[in-house]
Amino acid sequence: MVGDGSRAKTQTRRRRRALEEFRSGGAENRLTMAPRMRQDSIGRRTAALISILAAALLLFGFGFVAKLVAGGESMAFDRRVVLALRNPANPSEPLGPPWLQEAARDVTSLGSIVVVTIMTLAVVGYLLLSRGRAEALWMAVAVFGGMALNDALKLAFARPRPDSVFHAARVFTASFPSGHASLSAIAYLTIGALLARSQPSVKISVYVMALAAFLTVLIGMSRVYLGVHYPTDVLGGWCVGAAWALAWWATAARL
């Protein structure tokens, strides 16, 4: 009986010691993690501030371009660039071999409402399955809200499409700002940002964002090459689309 009592006391002391060590270790871990958490919080706030400032600059750029378009001051430049990309002997034909025109149509389709909607819904579904409703809702509102904004701007400016050349692709809406340019900036830059955030390597994050930006630029250039947009339409679309994406990036720091 005495031996059983001694063993019970020994076990009790061991449990207490283990509990104290666990609590002590937990406190040390909390002390170690606290600076990291503060640094991460500061980093997110800094990134959000930079995004807001960049968005403000892009909106200023959009306002400048919009003023030129509304006053007709950009028309000479716009027509000169569009005609420079056309065969002088036949303005209905873009410069380059026939396959280049088909390639431009393929590239430009990546910025269409149909393709952007499919890509957005696919990403939203992935986010619902892997990360939760908050980021999925954030993605959906960012892209579809940007679509609504672009439609409102088109209605407000009601700029006619280029009339000095044949359109190598069918169009149904006003010209300024370019929907393909703005929607590709909103969708692909936002998707790129989500992918970049999940990468542990800075090099991979930079690569993903550079690829998204390159695709956005390529889509915008294809619109001018096909004769369905003036250069200032695309510039305006890039500015407003990138500004919209940056503004939503700033909110992503809270997720």
Side-chain angles (χ1 to χ4, degrees):
M1 296 292 294
V2 176
D4 292 341
S6 178
R7 283 196 296 271
K9 291 180 180 179
T10 301
Q11 291 176 356
T12 300
R13 285 196 296 269
R14 288 177 179 173
R15 292 193 189 101
R16 289 177 178 175
R17 189 180 301 113
L19 181 60
E20 290 175 358
E21 290 176 356
F22 174 78
R23 289 176 176 174
S24 177
E28 291 177 0
N29 289 336
R30 286 193 293 272
L31 289 174
T32 303
M33 290 298 295
R36 296 179 184 176
M37 293 176 65
R38 284 196 295 270
Q39 290 177 358
D40 183 64
S41 178
I42 293 172
R44 289 190 177 189
R45 287 198 297 268
T46 302
L49 179 60
I50 293 174
S51 296
I52 292 173
L53 291 175
L57 289 174
L58 286 167
L59 286 177
F60 177 80
F62 173 78
F64 178 77
V65 174
K67 182 180 178 181
L68 294 178
V69 170
E73 301 173 48
S74 66
M75 188 57 68
F77 165 77
D78 284 328
R79 286 180 174 171
R80 188 163 55 249
V81 173
V82 170
L83 290 174
L85 298 174
R86 295 279 156 161
N87 185 347
N90 185 7
S92 65
E93 295 182 358
L95 291 175
W99 64 262
L100 183 59
Q101 184 173 333
E102 291 301 315
R105 287 197 187 98
D106 292 337
V107 170
T108 206
S109 66
L110 296 176
S112 67
I113 292 179
V114 174
V115 174
V116 169
T117 298
I118 292 173
M119 290 288 293
T120 301
L121 292 177
V123 174
V124 167
Y126 165 77
L127 293 174
L128 282 172
L129 294 173
S130 63
R131 300 189 187 183
R133 295 180 180 179
E135 289 195 6
L137 179 62
W138 174 84
M139 179 70 191
V141 174
V143 176
F144 294 123
M147 288 183 181
L149 173 64
N150 187 77
D151 288 342
L153 290 172
K154 281 181 175 291
L155 290 173
F157 286 94
R159 187 186 196 186
R161 297 276 179 165
D163 56 0
S164 56
V165 296
F166 174 76
H167 297 167
R170 297 189 68 181
V171 291
F172 306 96
T173 59
S175 193
F176 183 85
S178 167
H180 282 64
S182 62
L183 293 185
S184 60
I186 293 169
Y188 295 122
L189 293 179
T190 302
I191 293 172
L194 287 172
L195 292 175
R197 287 177 60 192
S198 63
Q199 299 300 322
S201 170
V202 176
K203 290 182 179 180
I204 296 178
S205 297
V206 172
Y207 170 78
V208 170
M209 290 307 302
L211 187 61
F214 174 73
L215 184 59
T216 300
V217 171
L218 204 61
I219 291 171
M221 292 175 63
S222 72
R223 303 304 286 171
V224 180
Y225 176 76
L226 293 172
V228 294
H229 273 298
Y230 294 114
T232 49
D233 296 335
V234 173
L235 286 174
W238 282 338
C239 286
V240 73
W244 182 264
L246 284 168
W248 281 92
W249 291 355
T251 66
R254 300 177 179 271
L255 298 179

